[in-house]
Amino acid sequence: MTGIKAKYTIKDFLPLIVIVVVILLFAVGTTLYSNQDWMFGMRMFMSGFFLVFGLLKASKLSDFAMAYQKYDLIAKRSTTYAFLYPFIEIGLGLLFFSWIASTLTLLLTIVLMLVSAVGVYKKLQQKEEIMCACLGTVFKVPMTWVTLAENLLMVGMATIMLLV
């Protein structure tokens, strides 16, 4: 019996897994500590997600912008957007944390993450192997369906929060 070797292993995604687990622990911890509901927990997860991912992207801004322009639909057309994107994520993280302008925050999240998801989907369809810029260029994580799931998870969570 011949098996097909997996292209990527769990080791390739270890930085992403560790970061998401830490953010999840932050969200669960703050929710339990403050005796809040699951919606608060989702907000804290999204806040942590955008803050950490945005800061990682901003830490090597030029490298991130070049990597992001390879697959994001807007960044391909606007270098300015590619450079601003990490700060948009940081802003979203702060907005989720403070819950100021909640409806606008949720709508902006849905639009940004859907646009990003479409770009990721198109790149995955082309079967071109590139590194994902989701963690900036600090960590080398391959772009796979995990990247698409990441974006759609944010869309789903924002949609639930908007509708509930």
Side-chain angles (χ1 to χ4, degrees):
M1 175 197 266
T2 60
I4 298 173
K5 186 177 183 249
K7 189 180 252 182
Y8 300 109
T9 66
I10 194 98
K11 186 178 176 185
D12 295 307
F13 299 97
L14 202 52
L16 179 63
I17 293 166
V18 169
I19 290 168
V20 169
V21 167
V22 169
I23 294 168
L24 188 58
L25 290 172
F26 162 76
V28 170
T30 55
T31 302
L32 293 175
Y33 180 76
S34 59
N35 200 26
Q36 295 287 331
D37 62 6
W38 63 276
M39 290 286 281
F40 178 86
M42 277 201 315
R43 247 186 53 221
M44 291 302 102
F45 178 82
M46 293 178 83
S47 174
F49 182 93
F50 283 124
L51 284 169
V52 171
F53 281 51
L55 288 167
L56 285 170
K57 289 171 176 118
S59 70
K60 290 187 171 184
L61 190 55
S62 293
D63 293 342
F64 163 76
M66 285 191 318
Y68 198 50
Q69 287 183 300
K70 291 180 182 176
Y71 64 90
D72 184 79
L73 301 177
I74 300 172
K76 281 182 180 183
R77 293 174 172 82
S78 171
T79 303
T80 302
Y81 177 77
F83 277 92
L84 285 177
Y85 188 80
F87 303 102
I88 294 170
E89 281 197 350
I90 293 166
L92 283 173
L94 294 172
L95 287 168
F96 273 106
F97 189 78
S98 65
W99 211 221
I100 297 170
S102 57
T103 301
L104 179 62
T105 301
L106 293 168
L107 291 172
L108 183 59
T109 299
I110 292 167
V111 170
L112 286 174
M113 294 294 102
L114 277 176
V115 168
S116 186
V118 170
V120 169
Y121 179 77
K122 285 183 171 193
K123 193 53 82 170
L124 290 171
Q125 289 299 102
Q126 295 169 358
K127 298 187 188 309
E128 184 181 338
E129 292 188 30
I130 63 170
M131 288 295 118
C132 180
C134 54
L135 297 176
T137 56
V138 176
F139 299 103
K140 303 287 187 221
V141 177
M143 179 182 288
T144 64
W145 295 98
V146 172
T147 310
L148 182 61
E150 220 175 80
N151 288 315
L152 294 178
L153 174 67
M154 291 293 114
V155 170
M157 290 173 71
T159 302
I160 289 167
M161 293 172 79
L162 191 61
L163 298 176
V164 173

